[in-house]
Amino acid sequence: MRIVVIGGVAGGMSCAARARRLSEDAEIVVLERGEYVSFANCGLPYHVSDEIQDRRALLVQTPTSLRAALNLDVRTGHEVTAIDREAKTLAVRTPDGVATLGYDALVLAPGARAVRPPLAGLDLPTVHTLRTVPDAERIRAMVAGGARRAVVLGAGFIGLEAAEALRTRGVDVTIIELAAHVLPPLDVELASVVDAELGAHGVHRRIGIAASAVELSPNADHAAEVVLSDGSRLPADLVVLSVGVRPDTALAADAGLALGPTGAIRVDGSFRTSDPSIWAVGDAIEVTNAVTGLAGPVPLAGPANRQGRMAADAILGRTVRPAPVLGTAIVRVFGLTAAMTGASQAALAAAGIEHFTVHLHPGHHAAYFPGAEQIHLTASFAPEGRLLGAQAVGRDGVDKRIDVFATALRAGMTADDLAELELAYAPPFGSAKDPVNMTGFMAQNVVAGDLALWYPDELDDGENDALDLDVRSRREFARGHLTGALNIPHTKLRDRLADVVAAADGRPVRVLCASGFRSYLAHRVLSQAGLDSASLSGGLTTLLAARPELDLATD
Ligand SMILES: Cc1cc2nc3c(=O)[nH]c(=O)nc-3n(C[C@H](O)[C@H](O)[C@H](O)COP(=O)(O)OP(=O)(O)OC[C@H]3O[C@@H](n4cnc5c(N)ncnc54)[C@H](O)[C@@H]3O)c2cc1C
């Protein structure tokens, strides 16, 4: 049996290696059009930043090492240009001309391509993508050659990593993002924390605006200018194009394989395409989102590697049971970590899934132990308490919490389950009530009706006229508060209930504090006194992050 794999990086190489471990008899050929196989594309930004100084560290395997360890026939510089499904042959452009290669089982792992929007000037030598080792080398060479100003188009994961890397090298960086905030998969109240970190490290951001062209500069001081849709022009010696990726499926489309509406290759539960002799994995395929149930590509290394492994199992006769994809992802932005799993609030709203969200800002370990860092955390739940997604931003402990949430999501856990998770604790590592437990407690309270929440987008809801009751201390209130808010510190509330009743005058009471804890305590007092009250989820910390334009009164 000859198994031919197209694409020799994450999904393709996982598939080839697993196939060999299952079968010593199969002939396994990997065709890769690039110069390298099995390279660490996720490490490329850190080569640009010089944290990974030696390019060889990114080259996890070579054709020689793969031949020696796994008896794989790995051919770099081999690009498949056509699939003849009837004859079961491939047309391959090789360094020695065009060749034909037959297959019994074919695996497509061609990955994704950088999206190239229809902008004039993207072919200028100043413009680069960051997808391959040669791309990273070219960007490094430009920095070493004196590039002083860079414009990064797109503030997604790779755009932010590129911006951080270039800034670390001393380049003046501006990020352009068309969406309403940086890192669009993150909900706005967390994305603004990331935005502030970029600003603190001197990265300029132009948000909610499009680039309309890249032009050669008339000025000898810099190579190019990026023209924005408002007519402004940004000088640039280097432009990084990172506005997203698209499944690289021209080959599959030409061969008549079924594609989904997003252009990704359709596969069944064992990664078989519409042709029974062809399997497909990785960035090029359509997967089902575990929370929304929507189909589409999820360009992440973990799913690609696991799919490659399972495709090999399926080809060699084993039963596979792939789980729907959660889209768990993480990125470092200077001193911050931002991570997410499952559905964001925006994705839940777009999919019409009923949910509620809790916001909290716990320390990453016990507050009394030196060095506690605040985590900004959101988690969404179905009305009956099933976890639907979680996101977090902070300086420490974010990765651990999001991985616990990802595991909980995979297990179908609820608020009750999160509350009962027994997680490792000693003061330098966590809290007896870990942030994950706290999230569960809050959601339990909502499900039980013990906690009613209000959210930043309700602030200007004229139809929902309410009394804003700020239960912080007088000093905190004086430093900045919502216009018209009544201040009664939570410790005084029991004695001043009559004042609240009078000020509310039949309206609901929207309670707020700094982070949502004191307002929860106040809400319990008010609701047990028969008042219609709700506590601001995440407090002013979340409100100001979600609504950065808001001016607080200081009268
Ligand atoms: C800069 C960067 C940073 C990233 N960081 C992360 C991260 O931190 N975490 C994360 O989860 N994911 C990250 N990713 C995404 C991750 O690398 C991809 O999701 C993953 O590599 C996809 O695996 P794949 O096998 O589908 O495609 P790839 O790994 O991209 O491999 C596809 C290969 O197929 C080859 N190919 C395509 N067509 C042909 C053809 N016709 N003939 C021969 N060869 C062909 C291509 O040359 C390519 O080498 C990052 C990606 C990049 C570019």
Side-chain angles (χ1 to χ4, degrees):
M1 178 191 206
R2 180 188 285 162
I3 302 172
V4 178
V5 179
I6 302 176
V9 190
M13 205 47 87
S14 294
C15 181
R18 174 71 173 172
R20 172 59 73 226
R21 291 194 295 272
L22 296 184
S23 169
E24 273 297 312
D25 301 328
E27 182 190 352
I28 304 172
V29 183
V30 179
L31 302 174
E32 167 56 53
R33 69 177 166 209
E35 206 180 325
Y36 305 104
V37 284
S38 221
F39 68 90
N41 33 17
C42 306
L44 295 174
Y46 308 103
H47 188 40
V48 173
S49 71
D50 220 22
E51 286 166 275
I52 299 172
Q53 293 183 346
D54 189 345
R55 181 177 63 133
R56 285 171 299 183
L58 298 168
L59 308 176
V60 183
Q61 296 285 351
T62 64
T64 309
S65 68
L66 289 160
R67 166 71 78 182
L70 292 161
N71 190 25
L72 299 179
D73 178 354
V74 178
R75 306 178 193 175
T76 54
H78 282 58
E79 177 168 20
V80 179
T81 54
I83 304 169
D84 183 336
R85 287 165 50 199
E86 230 162 75
K88 288 195 177 182
T89 59
L90 305 173
V92 189
R93 195 182 294 138
T94 80
D96 307 317
V98 176
T100 302
L101 181 70
Y103 63 84
D104 299 303
L106 177 65
V107 180
L108 303 180
R113 276 183 187 276
V115 169
R116 293 180 78 80
L119 299 189
L122 290 188
D123 293 331
L124 288 175
T126 333
V127 182
H128 296 270
T129 54
L130 180 54
R131 295 207 53 80
T132 63
V133 177
D135 287 343
E137 291 296 339
R138 279 190 285 269
I139 295 174
R140 277 172 66 93
M142 293 195 71
V143 175
R148 287 178 298 122
R149 297 193 192 94
V151 172
V152 176
L153 301 179
F157 289 92
I158 295 175
L160 292 189
E161 288 177 347
E164 184 202 61
L166 290 167
R167 191 74 199 107
T168 305
R169 298 288 301 272
V171 178
D172 185 68
V173 179
T174 302
I175 299 180
I176 313 296
E177 172 56 57
L178 179 60
H181 55 76
V182 298
L183 210 51
L186 212 60
D187 286 315
V188 58
E189 58 270 40
L190 298 183
S192 62
V193 183
V194 175
D195 187 77
E197 181 75 358
L198 289 164
H201 285 82
V203 175
H204 315 290
R205 292 92 60 221
R206 296 292 306 272
I207 305 301
I209 193 164
S212 51
V214 183
E215 293 177 359
L216 275 176
S217 170
N219 183 335
D221 180 51
H222 45 269
E225 289 182 356
V226 178
V227 186
L228 303 187
S229 52
D230 66 356
S232 54
R233 306 174 79 86
L234 299 171
D237 303 310
L238 165 64
V239 177
V240 179
L241 179 65
S242 52
V243 296
V245 295
R246 189 167 287 150
D248 189 353
T249 52
L251 194 61
D254 288 349
L257 296 177
L259 305 183
T262 55
I265 304 170
R266 277 236 157 102
V267 292
D268 68 10
S270 54
F271 301 99
R272 204 188 287 251
T273 67
S274 53
D275 181 318
S277 300
I278 305 180
W279 285 256
V281 298
D283 288 1
I285 70 165
E286 195 178 75
V287 291
T288 305
N289 183 285
V291 178
T292 63
L294 298 174
V298 175
L300 289 168
N305 277 281
R306 295 195 304 276
Q307 291 157 6
R309 187 174 197 274
M310 283 186 280
D313 282 9
I315 291 167
L316 291 159
R318 300 200 173 188
T319 305
V320 295
R321 287 185 197 81
V325 173
L326 295 169
T328 307
I330 190 163
V331 63
R332 185 190 74 189
V333 183
F334 297 102
L336 276 186
T337 307
M340 62 203 76
T341 185
S344 65
Q345 294 168 70
L348 291 168
I353 296 174
E354 212 184 330
H355 65 281
F356 68 89
T357 300
V358 296
H359 298 79
L360 53 169
H361 310 277
H364 89 285
H365 63 46
Y368 60 81
F369 189 82
E373 294 284 358
Q374 198 171 37
I375 298 178
H376 303 284
L377 204 158
T378 67
S380 296
F381 295 83
E384 83 287 356
R386 186 169 46 86
L387 179 66
L388 299 174
Q391 305 194 330
V393 173
R395 298 193 181 278
D396 212 340
V398 166
D399 51 347
K400 159 168 147 174
R401 272 58 190 222
I402 288 298
D403 280 347
V404 173
F405 281 118
T407 310
L409 268 171
R410 169 69 65 242
M413 286 190 186
T414 64
D416 291 346
D417 297 319
L418 296 182
E420 275 303 304
L421 281 182
E422 192 179 320
L423 302 172
Y425 163 62
F429 303 102
S431 300
K433 286 184 275 189
D434 189 87
V436 175
N437 299 131
M438 294 300 294
T439 306
F441 298 152
M442 269 185 83
Q444 274 182 323
N445 288 338
V446 173
V447 173
D450 294 332
L451 172 60
L453 292 170
W454 69 281
Y455 296 98
D457 59 359
E458 295 171 44
L459 190 61
D460 294 333
D461 187 350
E463 286 175 19
N464 191 13
D465 186 26
L467 169 69
D468 292 329
L469 175 64
D470 190 324
V471 295
R472 295 175 300 155
S473 69
R474 284 189 206 298
R475 186 177 297 177
E476 288 172 282
F477 186 80
R479 281 201 293 262
H481 54 262
L482 296 181
T483 305
L486 173 68
N487 178 221
I488 302 179
H490 76 290
T491 48
K492 310 268 188 268
L493 191 60
R494 288 183 181 85
D495 299 334
R496 295 191 52 193
L497 273 177
D499 293 347
V500 178
V501 172
D505 192 21
R507 297 175 296 163
V509 184
R510 288 191 302 210
V511 196
L512 64 141
C513 66
S515 68
F517 182 62
R518 286 172 288 177
S519 59
Y520 162 56
L521 301 181
H523 164 75
R524 293 303 305 148
V525 172
L526 296 173
S527 61
Q528 289 180 69
L531 283 154
D532 174 3
S533 89
S535 163
L536 175 61
S537 189
L540 273 172
T541 307
T542 294
L543 180 65
L544 293 175
R547 307 278 300 267
E549 78 289 354
L550 207 65
D551 273 334
L552 294 185
T554 50
D555 48 41

